[in-house]
Short mmCIF file of all heavy atoms in Angstrom, two decimals:
data_model
loop_
_atom_site.label_atom_id
_atom_site.label_comp_id
_atom_site.label_asym_id
_atom_site.label_seq_id
_atom_site.Cartn_x
_atom_site.Cartn_y
_atom_site.Cartn_z
N VAL A 1 47.82 91.86 -21.66
CA VAL A 1 48.92 90.90 -21.65
C VAL A 1 50.10 91.55 -22.38
O VAL A 1 49.97 91.90 -23.56
CB VAL A 1 48.53 89.57 -22.33
CG1 VAL A 1 49.68 88.58 -22.30
CG2 VAL A 1 47.29 88.98 -21.67
N PRO A 2 51.23 91.71 -21.70
CA PRO A 2 52.37 92.37 -22.34
C PRO A 2 52.89 91.59 -23.55
O PRO A 2 53.11 90.38 -23.48
CB PRO A 2 53.43 92.41 -21.24
CG PRO A 2 52.68 92.23 -19.96
CD PRO A 2 51.49 91.38 -20.31
N LEU A 3 53.05 92.28 -24.66
CA LEU A 3 53.52 91.67 -25.90
C LEU A 3 54.88 90.97 -25.73
O LEU A 3 55.06 89.88 -26.28
CB LEU A 3 53.56 92.72 -27.01
CG LEU A 3 53.45 92.22 -28.43
CD1 LEU A 3 52.26 91.31 -28.64
CD2 LEU A 3 53.39 93.39 -29.39
N PRO A 4 55.83 91.53 -24.98
CA PRO A 4 57.11 90.82 -24.80
C PRO A 4 56.95 89.44 -24.14
O PRO A 4 57.68 88.51 -24.48
CB PRO A 4 57.93 91.76 -23.92
CG PRO A 4 57.37 93.11 -24.19
CD PRO A 4 55.90 92.89 -24.41
N GLN A 5 56.00 89.32 -23.22
CA GLN A 5 55.77 88.00 -22.61
C GLN A 5 55.23 87.01 -23.65
O GLN A 5 55.63 85.85 -23.67
CB GLN A 5 54.80 88.12 -21.44
CG GLN A 5 55.40 88.76 -20.22
CD GLN A 5 54.39 88.81 -19.06
OE1 GLN A 5 53.20 88.62 -19.23
NE2 GLN A 5 54.92 89.08 -17.88
N ILE A 6 54.33 87.47 -24.48
CA ILE A 6 53.79 86.62 -25.53
C ILE A 6 54.89 86.22 -26.51
O ILE A 6 55.01 85.05 -26.89
CB ILE A 6 52.62 87.32 -26.27
CG1 ILE A 6 51.43 87.46 -25.32
CG2 ILE A 6 52.23 86.56 -27.53
CD1 ILE A 6 50.28 88.25 -25.87
N GLU A 7 55.72 87.17 -26.89
CA GLU A 7 56.83 86.88 -27.81
C GLU A 7 57.79 85.86 -27.21
O GLU A 7 58.29 84.98 -27.92
CB GLU A 7 57.54 88.17 -28.19
CG GLU A 7 56.70 89.05 -29.08
CD GLU A 7 57.26 90.45 -29.29
OE1 GLU A 7 58.17 90.86 -28.52
OE2 GLU A 7 56.76 91.14 -30.20
N HIS A 8 58.03 85.96 -25.91
CA HIS A 8 58.91 84.99 -25.23
C HIS A 8 58.31 83.58 -25.30
O HIS A 8 59.01 82.62 -25.62
CB HIS A 8 59.12 85.43 -23.77
CG HIS A 8 59.97 84.50 -22.99
ND1 HIS A 8 61.33 84.40 -23.17
CD2 HIS A 8 59.65 83.60 -22.02
CE1 HIS A 8 61.81 83.48 -22.36
NE2 HIS A 8 60.82 82.98 -21.64
N VAL A 9 57.03 83.46 -25.04
CA VAL A 9 56.36 82.16 -25.10
C VAL A 9 56.38 81.62 -26.53
O VAL A 9 56.66 80.44 -26.76
CB VAL A 9 54.91 82.25 -24.55
CG1 VAL A 9 54.09 81.02 -24.92
CG2 VAL A 9 54.93 82.44 -23.05
N LEU A 10 56.09 82.47 -27.50
CA LEU A 10 56.08 82.03 -28.89
C LEU A 10 57.46 81.58 -29.35
O LEU A 10 57.59 80.59 -30.09
CB LEU A 10 55.55 83.13 -29.81
CG LEU A 10 54.08 83.52 -29.62
CD1 LEU A 10 53.68 84.64 -30.57
CD2 LEU A 10 53.17 82.32 -29.76
N THR A 11 58.49 82.25 -28.88
CA THR A 11 59.86 81.83 -29.20
C THR A 11 60.15 80.46 -28.60
O THR A 11 60.71 79.59 -29.27
CB THR A 11 60.87 82.87 -28.67
OG1 THR A 11 60.62 84.12 -29.32
CG2 THR A 11 62.30 82.42 -28.93
N ASN A 12 59.74 80.25 -27.36
CA ASN A 12 59.97 78.96 -26.71
C ASN A 12 59.15 77.83 -27.34
O ASN A 12 59.54 76.66 -27.27
CB ASN A 12 59.67 79.05 -25.22
CG ASN A 12 60.71 79.85 -24.47
OD1 ASN A 12 61.84 80.01 -24.92
ND2 ASN A 12 60.33 80.39 -23.33
N ALA A 13 58.03 78.16 -27.93
CA ALA A 13 57.16 77.15 -28.53
C ALA A 13 57.48 76.89 -30.00
O ALA A 13 56.90 76.00 -30.61
CB ALA A 13 55.70 77.58 -28.40
N LYS A 14 58.40 77.63 -30.55
CA LYS A 14 58.68 77.58 -31.99
C LYS A 14 59.00 76.17 -32.48
O LYS A 14 58.47 75.74 -33.51
CB LYS A 14 59.81 78.54 -32.34
CG LYS A 14 60.06 78.65 -33.82
CD LYS A 14 61.12 79.67 -34.14
CE LYS A 14 61.31 79.71 -35.64
NZ LYS A 14 62.32 80.66 -36.04
N SER A 15 59.84 75.44 -31.80
CA SER A 15 60.21 74.11 -32.29
C SER A 15 59.02 73.16 -32.28
O SER A 15 58.86 72.35 -33.19
CB SER A 15 61.38 73.53 -31.48
OG SER A 15 60.97 73.26 -30.15
N GLY A 16 58.17 73.26 -31.29
CA GLY A 16 56.97 72.43 -31.25
C GLY A 16 56.02 72.76 -32.38
O GLY A 16 55.43 71.87 -33.01
N ILE A 17 55.86 74.05 -32.64
CA ILE A 17 54.99 74.49 -33.74
C ILE A 17 55.53 73.97 -35.07
O ILE A 17 54.77 73.51 -35.92
CB ILE A 17 54.87 76.03 -33.74
CG1 ILE A 17 54.08 76.50 -32.51
CG2 ILE A 17 54.22 76.52 -35.02
CD1 ILE A 17 54.14 77.99 -32.28
N GLU A 18 56.84 74.05 -35.23
CA GLU A 18 57.45 73.56 -36.47
C GLU A 18 57.21 72.07 -36.66
O GLU A 18 56.97 71.61 -37.78
CB GLU A 18 58.94 73.88 -36.48
CG GLU A 18 59.23 75.36 -36.66
CD GLU A 18 60.70 75.72 -36.47
OE1 GLU A 18 61.50 74.85 -36.01
OE2 GLU A 18 61.05 76.88 -36.75
N LYS A 19 57.25 71.30 -35.59
CA LYS A 19 56.99 69.86 -35.68
C LYS A 19 55.55 69.58 -36.09
O LYS A 19 55.28 68.69 -36.91
CB LYS A 19 57.30 69.17 -34.35
CG LYS A 19 58.77 69.10 -34.04
CD LYS A 19 59.03 68.51 -32.68
CE LYS A 19 60.51 68.58 -32.35
NZ LYS A 19 60.79 68.10 -30.99
N ILE A 20 54.62 70.35 -35.55
CA ILE A 20 53.21 70.18 -35.94
C ILE A 20 53.03 70.56 -37.41
O ILE A 20 52.38 69.84 -38.17
CB ILE A 20 52.29 71.01 -35.04
CG1 ILE A 20 52.30 70.44 -33.63
CG2 ILE A 20 50.86 71.03 -35.60
CD1 ILE A 20 51.64 71.32 -32.61
N ASP A 21 53.63 71.67 -37.82
CA ASP A 21 53.53 72.09 -39.21
C ASP A 21 54.11 71.03 -40.15
O ASP A 21 53.55 70.76 -41.21
CB ASP A 21 54.23 73.43 -39.43
CG ASP A 21 53.48 74.60 -38.80
OD1 ASP A 21 52.29 74.44 -38.44
OD2 ASP A 21 54.10 75.67 -38.65
N GLN A 22 55.21 70.42 -39.74
CA GLN A 22 55.82 69.36 -40.55
C GLN A 22 54.89 68.15 -40.65
O GLN A 22 54.69 67.60 -41.73
CB GLN A 22 57.17 68.93 -39.93
CG GLN A 22 57.93 67.91 -40.74
CD GLN A 22 58.44 68.48 -42.05
OE1 GLN A 22 58.76 69.66 -42.15
NE2 GLN A 22 58.52 67.65 -43.06
N ALA A 23 54.29 67.76 -39.54
CA ALA A 23 53.36 66.62 -39.54
C ALA A 23 52.14 66.92 -40.41
O ALA A 23 51.61 66.03 -41.08
CB ALA A 23 52.94 66.29 -38.12
N GLN A 24 51.71 68.17 -40.41
CA GLN A 24 50.51 68.52 -41.16
C GLN A 24 50.75 68.66 -42.66
O GLN A 24 49.81 68.90 -43.42
CB GLN A 24 49.89 69.80 -40.59
CG GLN A 24 49.24 69.56 -39.24
CD GLN A 24 48.54 70.79 -38.68
OE1 GLN A 24 48.69 71.91 -39.17
NE2 GLN A 24 47.76 70.57 -37.64
N LEU A 25 51.98 68.46 -43.10
CA LEU A 25 52.25 68.39 -44.53
C LEU A 25 51.68 67.10 -45.12
O LEU A 25 51.43 67.02 -46.32
CB LEU A 25 53.74 68.49 -44.81
CG LEU A 25 54.38 69.84 -44.51
CD1 LEU A 25 55.89 69.77 -44.72
CD2 LEU A 25 53.77 70.95 -45.34
N LYS A 26 51.47 66.11 -44.27
CA LYS A 26 50.86 64.86 -44.72
C LYS A 26 49.37 65.11 -44.93
O LYS A 26 48.76 65.95 -44.27
CB LYS A 26 51.07 63.77 -43.67
CG LYS A 26 52.53 63.43 -43.46
CD LYS A 26 52.70 62.38 -42.41
CE LYS A 26 54.19 62.12 -42.23
NZ LYS A 26 54.45 61.04 -41.30
N PRO A 27 48.75 64.35 -45.84
CA PRO A 27 47.32 64.58 -46.11
C PRO A 27 46.41 64.30 -44.92
O PRO A 27 45.35 64.91 -44.81
CB PRO A 27 47.01 63.64 -47.27
CG PRO A 27 48.19 62.79 -47.48
CD PRO A 27 49.33 63.34 -46.70
N ALA A 28 46.82 63.41 -44.04
CA ALA A 28 45.98 63.10 -42.87
C ALA A 28 46.85 62.61 -41.74
O ALA A 28 47.89 62.00 -41.95
CB ALA A 28 44.94 62.05 -43.22
N CYS A 29 46.41 62.89 -40.53
CA CYS A 29 47.08 62.39 -39.33
C CYS A 29 46.04 61.62 -38.53
O CYS A 29 44.87 61.98 -38.52
CB CYS A 29 47.62 63.53 -38.47
SG CYS A 29 48.92 64.49 -39.26
N LEU A 30 46.47 60.56 -37.88
CA LEU A 30 45.56 59.76 -37.07
C LEU A 30 46.22 59.49 -35.73
O LEU A 30 47.36 59.06 -35.67
CB LEU A 30 45.22 58.44 -37.76
CG LEU A 30 44.31 57.50 -37.00
CD1 LEU A 30 42.92 58.11 -36.85
CD2 LEU A 30 44.22 56.16 -37.68
N PHE A 31 45.50 59.76 -34.66
CA PHE A 31 45.99 59.49 -33.32
C PHE A 31 45.43 58.14 -32.90
O PHE A 31 44.21 58.00 -32.73
CB PHE A 31 45.55 60.59 -32.36
CG PHE A 31 46.17 61.91 -32.67
CD1 PHE A 31 45.51 62.84 -33.46
CD2 PHE A 31 47.42 62.24 -32.19
CE1 PHE A 31 46.07 64.07 -33.77
CE2 PHE A 31 48.01 63.46 -32.48
CZ PHE A 31 47.33 64.37 -33.26
N VAL A 32 46.30 57.16 -32.77
CA VAL A 32 45.87 55.82 -32.41
C VAL A 32 45.93 55.69 -30.90
O VAL A 32 46.97 55.93 -30.28
CB VAL A 32 46.75 54.75 -33.09
CG1 VAL A 32 46.31 53.36 -32.69
CG2 VAL A 32 46.71 54.92 -34.59
N THR A 33 44.80 55.34 -30.32
CA THR A 33 44.73 55.16 -28.86
C THR A 33 44.06 53.83 -28.58
O THR A 33 43.49 53.20 -29.47
CB THR A 33 43.90 56.28 -28.20
OG1 THR A 33 42.58 56.24 -28.71
CG2 THR A 33 44.51 57.65 -28.47
#
């Protein structure tokens, strides 16, 4: 798998990853369904 393609995907996913990291600063998360 070419590293530049992976880097492109990781760049595009950065904001989503940051949102998850921010949510995980809380002691617990619960998905209510």
Side-chain angles (χ1 to χ4, degrees):
V1 180
L3 205 52
Q5 287 182 345
I6 292 174
E7 290 169 346
H8 179 72
V9 166
L10 294 179
T11 299
N12 288 338
K14 186 176 180 180
S15 67
I17 292 169
E18 289 171 351
K19 289 176 186 176
I20 292 169
D21 289 345
Q22 184 68 31
Q24 288 184 348
L25 291 175
K26 297 179 182 185
C29 295
L30 178 66
F31 294 94
V32 179
T33 61

